[in-house]
Amino acid sequence: MSEEEGVGLSIKKTAASTGSYVLRPLVKDIPLLADGRSGEARITCVELSEENLYVGTSQAEILHFVSIPAEPEDESPAPSYIFASRLQPSYNAQAAGSASASPGVQQISVLPSVQKACILCNGTLSFYSLPELSPAFGNLTVHNCTWVGGVDLSSTAATEEHGVVVTICARNKVRLVRIGDEARRVRDIEFPGCLASTRRGNFACVADSHSYALLDVENQQKISLFPISSLDENLGGGKVESISTTTDPATVRSPSSSRPFSSEGPTNGKGHGRSTSLGAFVGGLGRRQGSPQPRSRDRSSLATLEPPLRESSPSTQNRTELVPETSNLVPSTPNKPLPVLPERSDSLRGLSPSRSRPSETLAPHICSPTPTEFLLTTGIAAKEAGVGIFVNLDGDVARGTLQFERYPSAVVSDGIGIEVEDGASEEERKGFVLATLPQVDSDSNHGIIEIQRWDTDDGGNKEFVEVPVPASMETGHTSESRSLPDNFGLRSVNTTVTVHFSEIGEMLRGTRLRLFKDNSRLKQAVESTIESPAEEWELSRNKEEVEFGRRLSGRMGSIIVWSGSSLWWIVRNPLAMRLDAAISGVLKRVPEGHSDNEVDRSSIIRIINSIRGQEASSETEFLSLEYIRQKISLVLFADLITLPSSSSSIQAADLRITEGLLMEGGVDPRVTLSLIPLLRQEVIEGRRGIWIHAGLISVVEYYRSNIRKSFEEIVASGMLNLIKRYLGAWRQRKGFGSIADEVEVFQTIDAAVLRVLLEQDSRESRTSKPSPTRNELYALVDSGVDCFDRAIILLEDYRRLYVLSRLYQSRRMARKVLETWKRVIEGEYDEGGGLIDGENEVCRYLAIIKDTALVDEYGTWLAGRNPTLGVQVFTNDSSRVKWEPHQVVILLRRKAPDAVKVYLEHLVFGKKNVQYANDLISYYLDSVLTVLGSSEKARDILARSYESYRALHPPKPTYRQFIVENTVPLPWWHDRLRLLELIGGSHGSDFSYDVGSILSRIEPFEQNLVPESIILDGRQGRHKQALRLLTHGLGDYHTAVNYCLLGGASIFHPTQGSVAPLAAPSQEEQAVLFGYLLTEFLHIEDFSDRLERTSELLERFGSWYDVKDVLDLIPESWSVELVSGFLVSSFRRLVQERNEATITKALSGAENLQIAAAFVEKSCALGPQIEKLP
């Protein structure tokens, strides 16, 4: 990507910093000189206490600024500081020397818990009340002071309840003083020339002009550590010494300890008009330069106190009284010696040249990054490298050393370290050391702040922040272009404030993304729902987002940098700004060997890996991480799309990483889809629009305007599966309440997924069948889509009618389903197919719906196309719509006449409903007679079937079996078989039909319809005629025998499944029929057949014949042998009958005798009876 194009992706026109710290303006153009004064002034120290900013200058003045909160209508919520007053602390002018050589205000130490401030100015320490800096403790002062501060960094509100203990360093000793409503000495420590001190509980790390030492302020012990300059080898370290004074308020008390000390008003010194000497309680810290004091004061509990030097005698006014401290500040740990310091580290030894004394004095620097460690600096010279060494409370080197490019002029630690778990985020816990470096190039107009981590070993990586040093410096009414090394400083102030970054709010707040400018469909969809371009709700939303952004723009800071006449905050670079700047920097670079439009993906991935697994601990951090992840995911995704077509296929790792980042980022999928040609048409903004982080707007707009690929090229690059998986993952989130604009989002997703699958299936179907994507497409529409109307349009455009029908099924739109299937069945083109057996699908579908009108409409339509299937719609027992037979018959006669016969067959043959048998017979007769009347071929077929059957030699099947086995595949032939079955008595004795009507209809075709005539003759009792046709017309002798046995009923139909078989006639009736049959057999033309059939009939059914009658019928020419079987069986039957009669007679006689004997026995038993006759 070219630099010019990359600029388009930047959030701000000015380059943002990728470093860990940035500068933010605090106060500019501070009036270091009062009006009418001349000379040179510079800032020497800075302190902040709540809303009050105090700036010390080299002119021995303190400039007081007051914070004014921003107005609600102000663009930035940052407060402004207004100049309130200019103060001159007390100091001894003679001791300070000339104004040009005097340091001015050296230190400002505020104590918010007791509302006091300690100000060191030109070697004089004075005390003031906050916030207006009015003199405190009767305007007490201490002369010859080198340092003030040393507040216990581990103290809490409970320990400061009775005051704050500060460290006052004089030329000959260090004194601990409790500051509260009054000043009380805690103890004195013998450590002359102390220039710096930092305290943690009972331990204080101090430094003089040559070396560092660790003090146990409770047990009055000291251990020397190492020199400030590594050239100062004469100083030994590790020796434990006692540092207790000759008098201690805890063990020695003098009657004069409560004696008041006089306060002195100012003579020729500078300061407040009511300032007094502080010698009453710290006089012993400096060398006495006035008249000698009484001896009793030397023996007091402050025996070492000496009043400061004054040119006039003490005043008798404004006296104050010093009360010694009688209790310890912190819990005592008696007799605990400090350990001996280990040998000098290699880093120090490496810095030590062969000289015995340094050529220049290095300022000591002490800070305490953790409750158990001190960071000390050492080096060779100011313009050479320096080393930072960590020392714990035991005096041991605690961790690895820090390397500084040059010996720092100020050092500040920030952060508690990532190893400390206190609930804060890792980003906030990171530990840094900030050091100001002296200028090497006199022409440079920037100060340098070196920044490095102290809590991790990051391989010596450092960052540098340039602080501009104004070329114009106040020198009365003139300006000189110069850069002073001591006009640049760094300090951690007492109060932590919120530093506002408007860029964060502008980056993270929500902004509406408008996409319909180049999309007519979207524009129409949006305009149809939005009444005006900027409705009240949108204006209100924008206002809320601005306010929300203002709330997010705060960052806590407590380190101030000054340069020239300006102050800056130096604060942690917000995560969003830092990583966004890194992304913009990568986008501006073109990777080596890549085209201008390609992105250095490895650098982008390194950025996202730097926050992988990082958990947010605040709303701002959460949104920052979300924003960075979303921006990187969009950039990487767009980069894959914009890869030139000539490049090789996309690596699987790039696809996997991009897909994972898209899901991790959680950007609105409509934004992602807006980058893809063709799919951007599916994006639905909705009435409320699409709202994303404002910082993403430029990315989206840039890539939307620069993507030139067609959708076909994207498909060819292998991106389609990524898009499909990404959208599929989003579809699984349906129903999640956390998704804004859920309706529009999932309508867009479903439309995009559908379009991707349609495109992919269309391409795959050209090369492989079946398409692997087809099942995915079916699964999508079967599960239902939110973009229903759009899906119909897409499927119609792609001519996917079967898929469209499945879409309708997902919504239970039965009519639309059937309409679509009807279109396919009737011949409309369906891309991809799918409806293999459409008529069966319609039949099955009609069975599961409950809409009677639809079943009526499409059942009859199907019956008209396919009567068999159509009738199944109305006859299916599992169908949810039930029909009465008469309803179906009426319906089919009106809309599908060809299906009526099929339905009647179902009723008559399937359901055994003889009610409609006559109707069916009529349909069959119509079918058969119509064909016979119009087709000579049909009549020939029947004639040949008779001839063929007669030509068969016994044993042969019945004529019924013969015509079934040799069926003719013609509808009328099938109808004739069914007709024979019906009129032949297949439905039992309960079924009757109009024989006369049928006879009258078939009479013209009597010679062609022989079986029908036989059945009808039998129905009319014309058995001789029926048997004559069976014997001579058909030659179906087996059926003729059955006719006699069955009495002429049920002879031309299958015997299986008969509902109610007809009752067989009596034997007398059968004998009559057999007599008719014998007569017909005796008239068979073929002699051999006649002889064979007659002999067989007489032999098998001889019992139905009388011998005399048979003998009368048999021709005289026949030999007895031909009917011998009949005669033998007849005679045997006669003999059997005679024997049976004889036996029966004998049995009857025996039975008669038994009855007579029983009568006699009964009579005897009863005896005689006499009856009188009248």
Side-chain angles (χ1 to χ4, degrees):
M1 186 182 299
S2 66
E3 183 174 351
E4 294 179 357
E5 292 172 338
V7 171
L9 297 177
S10 179
I11 297 176
K12 294 180 66 65
K13 295 181 179 180
T14 58
S17 172
T18 61
S20 300
Y21 284 80
V22 291
L23 295 175
R24 307 300 288 183
L26 177 56
V27 181
K28 294 183 179 180
D29 301 326
I30 298 175
L32 299 180
L33 289 175
D35 294 340
R37 294 188 62 181
S38 61
E40 185 179 274
R42 64 184 183 277
I43 300 174
T44 57
C45 59
V46 178
E47 186 55 272
L48 182 69
S49 177
E50 297 180 350
E51 290 82 20
N52 299 275
L53 175 66
Y54 306 103
V55 180
T57 71
S58 60
Q59 291 290 325
E61 294 179 333
I62 294 180
L63 309 181
H64 181 195
F65 294 83
V66 179
S67 172
I68 303 299
E71 296 294 335
E73 61 273 8
D74 291 348
E75 181 178 352
S76 173
S80 59
Y81 287 86
I82 62 171
F83 182 68
S85 63
R86 186 185 299 270
L87 307 174
Q88 293 183 341
S90 300
Y91 68 94
N92 190 314
Q94 292 182 355
S98 64
S100 61
S102 62
V105 179
Q106 297 167 270
Q107 282 183 266
I108 303 174
S109 179
V110 297
L111 309 174
S113 60
V114 294
Q115 289 295 294
K116 296 295 187 292
C118 305
I119 299 177
L120 179 61
C121 178
N122 289 329
T124 300
L125 176 64
S126 52
F127 294 83
Y128 298 88
S129 297
L130 297 178
E132 70 279 358
L133 295 184
S134 59
F137 309 134
N139 202 8
L140 300 179
T141 60
V142 177
H143 295 303
N144 299 323
C145 184
T146 59
W147 175 268
V148 65
V151 176
D152 184 7
L153 300 181
S154 300
S155 63
T156 61
T159 59
E160 295 180 354
E161 182 179 357
H162 302 292
V164 180
V165 177
V166 299
T167 303
I168 300 174
C169 301
R171 292 178 182 176
N172 59 347
K173 63 186 65 181
V174 174
R175 170 161 293 175
L176 301 183
V177 178
R178 185 183 300 275
I179 304 298
D181 295 335
E182 56 183 349
R184 293 176 179 268
R185 178 171 66 90
V186 178
R187 67 174 49 85
D188 292 339
I189 300 173
E190 291 294 341
F191 190 83
C194 181
L195 300 179
S197 172
T198 299
R199 186 157 63 92
R200 287 285 189 180
N202 292 337
F203 298 93
C205 188
V206 296
D208 55 18
S209 59
H210 298 287
S211 64
Y212 298 100
L214 188 64
L215 306 181
D216 184 342
V217 297
E218 183 67 25
N219 296 314
Q220 301 285 295
Q221 291 181 325
K222 178 188 78 171
I223 179 172
S224 299
L225 297 177
F226 47 80
I228 300 171
S229 173
S230 59
L231 302 178
D232 204 350
E233 294 185 341
N234 295 329
L235 296 174
K239 181 179 179 182
V240 179
E241 307 173 42
S242 174
I243 54 176
S244 60
T245 59
T246 57
T247 59
D248 193 314
T251 57
V252 180
R253 295 186 65 87
S254 170
S256 61
S257 63
S258 61
R259 174 180 176 180
F261 290 84
S262 62
S263 299
E264 301 177 308
T267 54
N268 295 332
K270 305 294 183 179
H272 291 280
R274 64 177 186 273
S275 67
T276 60
S277 173
L278 194 57
F281 95 102
V282 288
L285 291 178
R287 181 177 295 276
R288 181 180 179 82
Q289 300 193 23
S291 58
Q293 297 295 318
R295 175 67 63 178
S296 62
R297 180 172 301 178
D298 295 336
R299 294 194 303 269
S300 69
S301 61
L302 295 179
T304 58
L305 289 175
E306 297 180 78
L309 177 64
R310 293 294 182 184
E311 296 181 358
S312 60
S313 60
S315 172
T316 59
Q317 299 177 354
N318 300 330
R319 295 181 181 272
T320 185
E321 189 173 333
L322 177 65
V323 181
E325 184 74 47
T326 59
S327 60
N328 294 332
L329 172 67
V330 293
S332 175
T333 55
N335 302 322
K336 177 183 177 183
L338 290 174
V340 178
L341 185 70
E343 293 184 3
R344 183 175 300 178
S345 65
D346 293 340
S347 59
L348 291 177
R349 187 179 297 111
L351 289 173
S352 300
S354 59
R355 295 177 294 176
S356 62
R357 285 292 177 184
S359 60
E360 57 181 312
T361 301
L362 300 178
H365 301 296
I366 307 173
C367 60
S368 180
T370 72
T372 60
E373 292 176 314
F374 298 102
L375 172 62
L376 315 177
T377 60
T378 183
I380 299 175
K383 295 185 179 181
E384 296 189 31
V387 177
I389 302 175
F390 291 90
V391 177
N392 61 22
L393 299 182
D394 294 327
D396 299 327
V397 175
R399 61 178 77 222
T401 60
L402 300 179
Q403 302 291 332
F404 300 103
E405 295 293 323
R406 293 185 293 279
Y407 191 82
S409 56
V411 176
V412 170
S413 67
D414 185 28
I416 61 177
I418 59 173
E419 65 269 18
V420 179
E421 297 291 343
D422 68 341
S425 67
E426 180 181 342
E427 190 73 18
E428 296 173 345
R429 298 197 314 270
K430 288 180 180 179
F432 289 91
V433 170
L434 293 79
T436 56
L437 304 182
Q439 294 290 342
V440 175
D441 184 2
S442 59
D443 296 332
S444 174
N445 63 342
H446 291 86
I448 300 298
I449 299 177
E450 182 184 73
I451 303 171
Q452 55 186 311
R453 293 285 297 275
W454 62 261
D455 56 345
T456 60
D457 183 8
D458 57 355
N461 293 329
K462 300 179 181 180
E463 300 175 13
F464 297 91
V465 175
E466 294 184 349
V467 181
V469 178
S472 175
M473 304 184 64
E474 295 192 51
T475 55
H477 299 287
T478 63
S479 297
E480 298 180 5
S481 294
R482 55 180 297 189
S483 187
L484 298 177
D486 54 358
N487 196 43
F488 166 53
L490 176 74
R491 176 173 172 80
S492 177
V493 296
N494 182 270
T495 301
T496 300
V497 300
T498 301
V499 181
H500 293 276
F501 290 81
S502 59
E503 298 93 330
I504 299 179
E506 295 173 1
M507 188 185 304
L508 300 183
R509 68 181 179 88
T511 301
R512 184 172 183 178
L513 175 65
R514 298 185 181 274
L515 301 174
F516 61 79
K517 295 178 182 178
D518 57 348
N519 189 325
S520 59
R521 187 180 77 84
L522 291 180
K523 185 174 181 179
Q524 293 173 0
V526 174
E527 288 177 348
S528 64
T529 56
I530 297 182
E531 299 177 0
S532 60
E535 291 185 349
E536 290 185 5
W537 70 264
E538 186 172 351
L539 297 176
S540 176
R541 172 75 182 269
N542 285 326
K543 184 177 180 181
E544 291 174 359
E545 291 293 344
V546 171
E547 290 298 323
F548 180 68
R550 287 163 61 99
R551 195 171 73 245
L552 296 175
S553 62
R555 182 79 180 188
M556 304 308 294
S558 61
I559 304 175
I560 293 179
V561 177
W562 64 85
S563 178
S565 61
S566 298
L567 301 178
W568 289 270
W569 289 108
I570 182 166
V571 293
R572 300 278 183 99
N573 193 2
L575 179 67
M577 290 179 58
R578 175 163 52 86
L579 297 183
D580 188 72
I583 296 170
S584 298
V586 173
L587 295 178
K588 293 176 183 178
R589 298 196 307 267
V590 177
E592 184 177 353
H594 292 70
S595 65
D596 291 344
N597 291 326
E598 291 187 60
V599 173
D600 186 354
R601 297 182 64 86
S602 59
S603 297
I604 293 289
I605 292 173
R606 278 196 294 272
I607 295 174
I608 194 64
N609 285 340
S610 67
I611 60 172
R612 189 169 298 280
Q614 183 171 336
E615 297 294 335
S617 62
S618 64
E619 184 179 26
T620 301
E621 191 170 351
F622 174 81
L623 293 175
S624 298
L625 292 172
E626 179 185 72
Y627 165 73
I628 293 300
R629 290 176 178 132
Q630 290 182 358
K631 183 168 185 177
I632 287 180
S633 65
L634 287 176
V635 169
L636 293 180
F637 180 73
D639 176 61
L640 292 181
I641 296 177
T642 55
L643 284 176
S645 303
S646 58
S647 63
S648 58
S649 60
I650 301 174
Q651 297 295 325
D654 289 337
L655 292 173
R656 185 176 63 256
I657 291 172
T658 304
E659 180 183 350
L661 289 176
L662 283 172
M663 292 308 304
E664 185 180 358
V667 67
D668 191 324
R670 295 176 293 176
V671 178
T672 307
L673 294 174
S674 70
L675 303 177
I676 307 173
L678 190 67
L679 294 186
R680 68 181 55 161
Q681 299 176 11
E682 309 307 328
V683 176
I684 300 177
E685 290 190 52
R687 184 176 183 273
R688 299 288 179 176
I690 302 173
W691 292 77
I692 60 175
H693 294 299
L696 301 178
I697 298 293
S698 58
V699 177
V700 177
E701 292 179 348
Y702 170 78
Y703 281 112
R704 276 175 54 82
S705 60
N706 284 275
I707 293 177
R708 299 287 184 264
K709 273 189 175 183
S710 64
F711 189 74
E712 289 73 15
E713 292 175 311
I714 296 176
V715 172
S717 67
M719 282 286 293
L720 211 55
N721 286 327
L722 182 151
I723 298 171
K724 190 166 60 176
R725 290 192 300 271
Y726 168 65
L727 296 176
W730 262 98
R731 291 191 81 238
Q732 295 178 2
R733 299 184 180 184
K734 284 186 178 181
F736 289 13
S738 59
I739 298 176
D741 302 325
E742 183 178 9
V743 174
E744 292 79 8
V745 167
F746 288 112
Q747 285 183 356
T748 299
I749 289 174
D750 285 353
V753 173
L754 179 59
R755 191 149 198 173
V756 167
L757 291 176
L758 288 173
E759 287 288 338
Q760 194 172 22
D761 181 63
S762 299
R763 285 162 175 77
E764 291 176 352
S765 61
R766 300 170 190 167
T767 58
S768 62
K769 290 185 178 181
S771 165
T773 311
R774 189 72 51 81
N775 290 335
E776 297 180 46
L777 181 59
Y778 291 162
L780 174 67
V781 296
D782 289 347
S783 63
V785 293
D786 293 349
C787 59
F788 185 73
D789 295 335
R790 179 59 181 166
I792 294 174
I793 296 174
L794 286 174
L795 293 174
E796 290 284 5
D797 291 343
Y798 281 85
R799 305 174 72 180
R800 305 303 294 267
L801 298 183
Y802 177 66
V803 182
L804 177 61
S805 71
R806 297 184 72 137
L807 176 66
Y808 287 135
Q809 287 185 66
S810 69
R811 291 290 184 96
R812 301 181 182 277
M813 301 175 67
R815 178 171 294 278
K816 290 294 184 179
V817 173
L818 294 169
E819 285 179 359
T820 308
W821 283 348
K822 182 178 180 181
R823 290 165 59 187
V824 177
I825 294 171
E826 291 182 346
E828 187 171 343
Y829 181 68
D830 177 26
E831 178 72 30
L835 192 63
I836 306 301
D837 190 354
E839 292 180 349
N840 272 314
E841 285 291 335
V842 172
C843 182
R844 285 192 291 269
Y845 191 71
L846 289 173
I848 63 175
I849 63 176
K850 296 183 65 175
D851 192 325
T852 305
L854 280 181
V855 177
D856 180 346
E857 179 180 353
Y858 286 93
T860 54
W861 168 79
L862 181 60
R865 289 182 56 87
N866 188 333
T868 302
L869 274 179
V871 167
Q872 291 179 14
V873 173
F874 302 98
T875 60
N876 191 343
D877 292 335
S878 62
S879 177
R880 302 183 70 180
V881 177
K882 304 299 182 181
W883 299 87
E884 294 296 331
H886 68 277
Q887 293 177 316
V888 179
V889 171
I890 296 173
L891 193 63
L892 292 178
R893 282 176 176 169
R894 187 175 72 252
K895 296 183 178 181
D898 294 339
V900 175
K901 182 186 68 175
V902 178
Y903 181 69
L904 292 177
E905 287 178 342
H906 165 75
L907 293 177
V908 174
F909 294 104
K911 297 296 185 180
K912 306 303 180 182
N913 188 343
V914 297
Q915 178 181 352
Y916 296 94
N918 282 312
D919 294 331
L920 185 57
I921 290 173
S922 178
Y923 271 96
Y924 286 152
L925 285 175
D926 290 341
S927 174
V928 174
L929 296 180
T930 300
V931 174
L932 292 178
S934 60
S935 174
E936 181 67 28
K937 182 178 179 181
R939 295 192 293 271
D940 292 340
I941 290 174
L942 288 176
R944 285 198 299 272
S945 70
Y946 300 147
E947 293 175 1
S948 299
Y949 182 75
R950 286 195 296 265
L952 293 177
H953 295 283
K956 60 182 179 180
T958 65
Y959 181 73
R960 164 76 183 182
Q961 294 172 334
F962 175 75
I963 60 177
V964 169
E965 293 173 359
N966 298 274
T967 185
V968 179
L970 294 174
W972 67 268
W973 184 272
H974 171 269
D975 293 344
R976 183 184 177 228
L977 293 178
R978 286 289 194 177
L979 177 62
L980 288 173
E981 187 174 346
L982 270 180
I983 64 177
S986 62
H987 286 71
S989 59
D990 295 337
F991 171 55
S992 63
Y993 49 85
D994 190 352
V995 177
S997 174
I998 297 175
L999 280 174
S1000 63
R1001 295 190 63 183
I1002 69 171
E1003 185 177 0
F1005 305 97
E1006 189 175 359
Q1007 299 299 323
N1008 303 108
L1009 300 176
V1010 176
E1012 289 82 354
S1013 299
I1014 294 172
I1015 294 172
L1016 294 176
D1017 285 341
R1019 283 280 182 172
Q1020 290 182 314
R1022 297 161 54 182
H1023 300 301
K1024 287 185 178 181
Q1025 180 66 21
L1027 290 172
R1028 183 179 300 113
L1029 291 176
L1030 280 171
T1031 304
H1032 305 293
L1034 288 179
D1036 188 356
Y1037 308 123
H1038 182 76
T1039 302
V1041 172
N1042 287 337
Y1043 185 94
C1044 297
L1045 293 173
L1046 299 175
S1050 189
I1051 57 173
F1052 278 101
H1053 65 85
T1055 57
Q1056 296 84 1
S1058 179
V1059 174
L1062 296 174
S1066 63
Q1067 187 169 4
E1068 289 76 11
E1069 293 175 346
Q1070 290 176 344
V1072 173
L1073 294 177
F1074 275 113
Y1076 295 153
L1077 182 59
L1078 177 61
T1079 302
E1080 297 300 329
F1081 275 8
L1082 292 174
H1083 290 86
I1084 296 175
E1085 294 182 2
D1086 187 271
F1087 178 77
S1088 61
D1089 282 347
R1090 184 194 318 156
L1091 185 62
E1092 184 177 354
R1093 299 280 74 76
T1094 304
S1095 299
E1096 181 183 4
L1097 177 65
L1098 292 174
E1099 184 175 356
R1100 290 179 59 195
F1101 303 100
S1103 59
W1104 276 270
Y1105 290 98
D1106 184 83
V1107 177
K1108 181 177 180 302
D1109 294 338
V1110 173
L1111 293 176
D1112 291 340
L1113 291 175
I1114 293 175
E1116 295 290 341
S1117 59
W1118 286 21
S1119 73
V1120 176
E1121 185 179 359
L1122 294 178
V1123 292
S1124 59
F1126 167 71
L1127 294 175
V1128 169
S1129 62
S1130 296
F1131 290 150
R1132 285 178 178 173
R1133 186 175 65 255
L1134 291 175
V1135 171
Q1136 180 181 358
E1137 290 177 356
R1138 187 190 62 185
N1139 293 336
E1140 289 177 354
T1142 302
I1143 293 172
T1144 302
K1145 182 178 179 181
L1147 292 173
S1148 298
E1151 184 179 8
N1152 185 41
L1153 290 175
Q1154 289 177 351
I1155 294 173
F1159 176 77
V1160 171
E1161 291 176 358
K1162 189 69 174 176
S1163 298
C1164 293
L1166 294 175
Q1169 292 182 357
I1170 300 173
E1171 294 182 1
K1172 291 181 179 182
L1173 297 175

